[in-house]
Structures are given as C-alpha cells and as structure tokens.
Amino acid sequence: MVNGTMKLIKIPIRPPPRKEMPHAYSVKQSEEICKTLNALRLGNILSDVYLEHVKTLTHSVFMLGYRGKIVNAEFFSEKHRTTVAHFLNNGRWDSLNFEKALKRQVIDRIYEESRKSGAPVFCIVDDTIASHTAPSSQAMHPIEAAYYHQSHLKKQQDYGHQAVGVMLSCNELSLNYAIVLYDKSHSKIEIVQDIIQELPSPPHTAYFLCDSWYASNKLMDAFAQKGFQTIGAMRINRIIYPNQVKQQAKQFAPGICKNDPNVSLVTVGKRSYYVYRYQGKMNGHKDAVVLLSYPEKSFREAKALRVFISTHTELTAQEILNIYAKRWNIEVFFRSCKQKLAFDKCQLRKKQGITRMWLILSLIHFLCCTVSGCVGSFDEGYNYFRNCVLQEIFAQNALSM
C-alpha cells in the first residue's frame, strides 16, 4: 500500500503443466510381418520413420474388430494416432514411387507364374463403391471426392467413393495391380486406358476380362496393342450382322431355336445355359465371336438374355464362358477388402489420405496372397498374419499379469 492506495502487483500466470495424451502403445510388432515387409525393400523408397508408419498400419488391420479407424495403430507404435493420420493426409513421402514399386512386384509375380507354367495372364477390370453416410447441407468438413454413384448391387444411387480396380491373375494367383479413386476429373475408361499403357507385354496368351461397362472398343483396341485378347460381357443393344443383316443382339435373340446348329448347351460351374455362337462382323470389329446366352430353364425369356464377346475367335462357347468366369476374382477381391480390410469404412476425410490408405490396403492384400505356404489364398494369408498379431497381444498380456 502506497499513500493509502493499494498497488496491484502483476504476477505472471503460467499455464498448468501439459498433460501427456493417453497412449495405448503396448504390443510388440510381429517379427514375421516386419520380415515380410522388409523383404519388399520398401526402405529404398521410405525413410525409417515413414516405413514404421506403414508397419504400424499393417499391424492394426489384423487386429480383432478392425473397422478402419486409425486409433488401432496406437497399439503398435509409440507415435500418437494423429501422427499416423498426418502421415496419410499430409506426409511428405512419395506415394507414387511406393505405388510403382508395388506394381512391379505384382507384375513380376504374375508374369513369372505365366512363364513357368505357360498359363495365360488375365487382366480383370471392374469398379466398386465404398459407401458413406451422405453429409448434411451444413457440414463444415465433408469427405473429399465423395459423390453419388449408381450402384448396380443396390440398384439405386449410393453416396461414397467409387474405385476402379485392375487385377492381374495367373493360375490360382490373383493380385491387385491398381485401385484408383474415380473423382470425375477423368472417365473410368480413361483411367483404365492410362493403366494399360503401364503394362508390359505378357509372356504368353493373355486376356482382358470385363463386364459390359468396360467392353468398349477403345479399351479392347488398347489391350490388343499390348497383346491381350478381350473376353467380356456386352450390352444387349450392341449391333451384330447375322446373315449380313444389321440387328441389335436383343432383336436377333428371340428367333434362336434350340435345334439350331449354332446352339449348344454349355455348363459353367453348376449351371447350364443354351448358347448361340455368332462369329462375324460387329460395330468396331471386323471379326469377333458373340455369344447369346439363356439359362437352361429360361430359354428365350427377354430378361434372362446375356451377351458376351470374344476377340479370340478360335475359342469354343464353352472355353469363352469358362474364361469369363475368372472375372469373378475381382468381385472376391472387393468383398475381401470390405469385409476384412475395412476398405469402405476408412475414417479419413482427405482425398490424399484415403487414396494412400487404399494403397496400403493393396500392399496388405499382396502380402496375404504371396506369403509362403498360403500363395494364392488371401483368406489363408490373412488368417496367418492375424495369428501372428494375436500371438504378440497374448504374449504381452501374459507379461503384464
């Protein structure tokens, strides 16, 4: 107090000590998974810090109850989950070189299998939707690059990310070569055209397999230049020229009879089909085989008609449909990614983070399909690596008791 007046003394206010954020790091990484990743020589592309993030994310996918959340990564790393999310969203690592290295591994594996066995290579193309809840009109930070897409499975518009997948397959080994986010900046046909340019010529006979959406003349011609024949589904309104008469396939089909010499009963799997084999001119091709197919018990029912095309004209109807059935491998891949790798449950919102996470999921699929003793079987490889992770978790729990 000075002259009867209270003097205020300024005391600096210090913030309370910063509390460390709770951290779940408690499980040692599996030596088997780390050894398998190191064998791919990813250290030539990624720094030790970034490679550690890849290992952490890989381990987290094999945890029980994994649902695409980055929080699972905390169990296998001393880094906080926000650091792992930053690695995906904004990290300064070369994901393009990472992708190229993985693609080289896929090509080497599939083409080497073809060289050893003489079996054909199959390039399979399709797309899928990773569904999300549509945001409200007032959402401040909606998921990037998510739109409404037509879902053939749900038969309605579905909100989310659409991904174009390209697989390479030979014998029992099927590996994902590319999975590209369709963001409407390029058409899906253009996306596949770009991927075709990357593929080296196959060592033996090779086929491009697709559904009717991708059976375009542009893609068939592009694949032909790389040495791939096309076998795919075809829209029923495509033009053919039976008896030199221009007709849509669906207009010609009602006149087919079972006793026609060009009709045969073909069995694929456990189902039988009446198949008419047409060979000749069609729009965009001077000579191709077109199959008009009906299920055995639904002959000449308009809604049951399916049409297929083969640019390899020496094949029989049975051979064409047997080869086309291998297109199902990509459907199995999409299902496995959604059910076990949480492909459609990714919690990231940034486009770059999402595509990078998809890249790491492709790496995990590759590991599962190529691990020694489980080659060709994703499910067996997945269970093998999951058991490796669970053993580490059980061992850690036993030590802490």
Side-chain angles (χ1 to χ4, degrees):
M1 182 176 293
V2 180
N3 298 328
T5 304
M6 181 77 71
K7 184 177 181 180
L8 298 176
I9 300 175
K10 293 183 178 180
I11 301 176
I13 300 175
R14 296 179 181 177
R18 183 176 180 181
K19 295 182 179 180
E20 290 295 327
M21 299 180 72
H23 190 37
Y25 174 55
S26 60
V27 182
K28 179 184 175 184
Q29 292 186 356
S30 164
E31 291 184 6
E32 186 63 27
I33 293 177
C34 292
K35 182 178 71 175
T36 306
L37 285 169
N38 291 336
L40 298 179
R41 298 181 180 179
L42 298 177
N44 296 336
I45 303 168
L46 302 174
S47 68
D48 291 344
V49 174
Y50 287 156
L51 181 57
E52 187 64 23
H53 287 320
V54 172
K55 291 179 179 179
T56 296
L57 287 166
T58 301
H59 280 78
S60 70
V61 168
F62 293 111
M63 286 189 68
L64 291 174
Y66 175 71
R67 290 293 182 270
K69 293 184 178 181
I70 301 299
V71 68
N72 293 71
E74 286 189 329
F75 288 92
F76 301 95
S77 173
E78 60 185 9
K79 306 293 184 183
H80 193 265
R81 67 176 182 273
T82 55
T83 305
V84 180
H86 177 81
F87 162 72
L88 293 169
N89 289 324
N90 303 304
R92 296 181 179 179
W93 55 288
D94 195 341
S95 54
L96 290 179
N97 269 341
F98 185 101
E99 182 181 16
K100 288 178 182 178
L102 182 56
K103 286 179 175 179
R104 284 195 297 269
Q105 293 281 346
V106 172
I107 288 175
D108 289 346
R109 289 274 187 160
I110 296 297
Y111 281 35
E112 182 61 24
E113 178 69 21
S114 179
R115 290 188 191 95
K116 287 181 178 179
S117 65
V121 171
F122 302 103
C123 183
I124 313 169
V125 176
D126 203 356
D127 55 64
T128 190
I129 298 174
S131 302
H132 298 288
T133 302
S136 70
S137 58
Q138 298 179 353
M140 298 295 292
H141 302 287
I143 301 174
E144 294 180 359
Y147 308 100
Y148 281 99
H149 305 277
Q150 181 61 35
S151 171
H152 301 293
L153 182 64
K154 298 179 180 179
K155 297 182 180 179
Q156 63 182 19
Q157 291 285 303
D158 193 11
Y159 183 83
H161 294 108
Q162 190 165 47
V164 178
V166 178
M167 295 196 78
L168 293 177
S169 177
C170 182
N171 288 328
E172 300 303 315
L173 183 60
S174 296
L175 300 174
N176 178 56
Y177 178 77
I179 188 149
V180 182
L181 176 65
Y182 170 58
D183 61 2
K184 299 190 177 183
S185 61
H186 297 84
S187 72
K188 288 183 280 189
I189 299 298
E190 290 172 335
I191 290 173
V192 179
Q193 282 179 311
D194 291 340
I195 293 173
I196 294 170
Q197 300 308 313
E198 303 171 2
L199 296 175
S201 297
H204 294 291
T205 305
Y207 295 95
F208 159 49
L209 307 182
C210 63
D211 63 10
S212 59
W213 180 265
Y214 293 95
S216 73
N217 292 332
K218 288 182 179 180
L219 289 185
M220 287 191 278
D221 291 343
F223 270 107
Q225 292 175 9
K226 288 288 185 173
F228 287 79
Q229 302 277 5
T230 294
I231 293 179
M234 196 172 73
R235 297 186 180 185
I236 61 176
N237 61 354
R238 291 287 290 268
I239 301 297
I240 57 177
Y241 293 83
N243 303 316
Q244 305 301 316
V245 177
K246 180 179 179 181
Q247 285 181 288
Q248 291 183 351
K250 64 180 180 181
Q251 294 173 330
F252 174 74
I256 297 173
C257 298
K258 292 181 181 179
N259 59 359
D260 190 300
N262 292 316
V263 173
S264 56
L265 186 62
V266 174
T267 300
V268 181
K270 297 181 179 180
R271 298 181 179 182
S272 297
Y273 305 87
Y274 284 107
V275 180
Y276 179 92
R277 186 182 189 277
Y278 161 83
Q279 181 176 346
K281 178 183 176 183
M282 61 172 293
N283 281 1
H285 298 275
K286 293 181 179 179
D287 189 26
V289 172
V290 175
L291 303 182
L292 291 84
S293 169
Y294 289 103
E296 182 181 12
K297 296 182 179 180
S298 303
F299 185 68
R300 288 204 299 196
E301 292 183 14
K303 292 184 178 181
L305 175 65
R306 298 293 182 270
V307 182
F308 304 90
I309 181 173
S310 171
T311 57
H312 192 175
T313 57
E314 297 177 1
L315 299 178
T316 64
Q318 180 74 65
E319 290 170 329
I320 291 170
L321 292 182
N322 284 342
I323 292 174
Y324 178 77
K326 297 181 182 298
R327 193 196 71 83
W328 187 249
N329 288 342
I330 198 167
E331 302 289 354
V332 174
F333 165 70
F334 288 146
R335 184 182 63 196
S336 298
C337 283
K338 292 177 180 180
Q339 291 182 349
K340 296 188 174 178
L341 305 185
F343 172 80
D344 56 343
K345 296 179 177 64
C346 180
Q347 301 293 305
L348 299 167
R349 292 184 175 275
K350 287 194 174 183
K351 176 183 174 182
Q352 178 166 265
I354 292 165
T355 56
R356 284 176 166 181
M357 190 63 202
W358 287 1
L359 178 58
I360 291 174
L361 294 182
S362 291
L363 169 66
I364 294 170
H365 183 271
F366 176 86
L367 296 179
C368 292
C369 291
T370 57
V371 63
S372 178
C374 305
V375 175
S377 174
F378 169 80
D379 288 338
E380 290 183 11
Y382 175 85
N383 290 333
Y384 172 76
F385 284 125
R386 167 167 275 192
N387 287 335
C388 291
V389 170
L390 292 180
Q391 286 174 8
E392 294 295 344
I393 294 175
F394 294 152
Q396 191 66 31
N397 289 340
L399 290 174
S400 62
M401 291 178 64

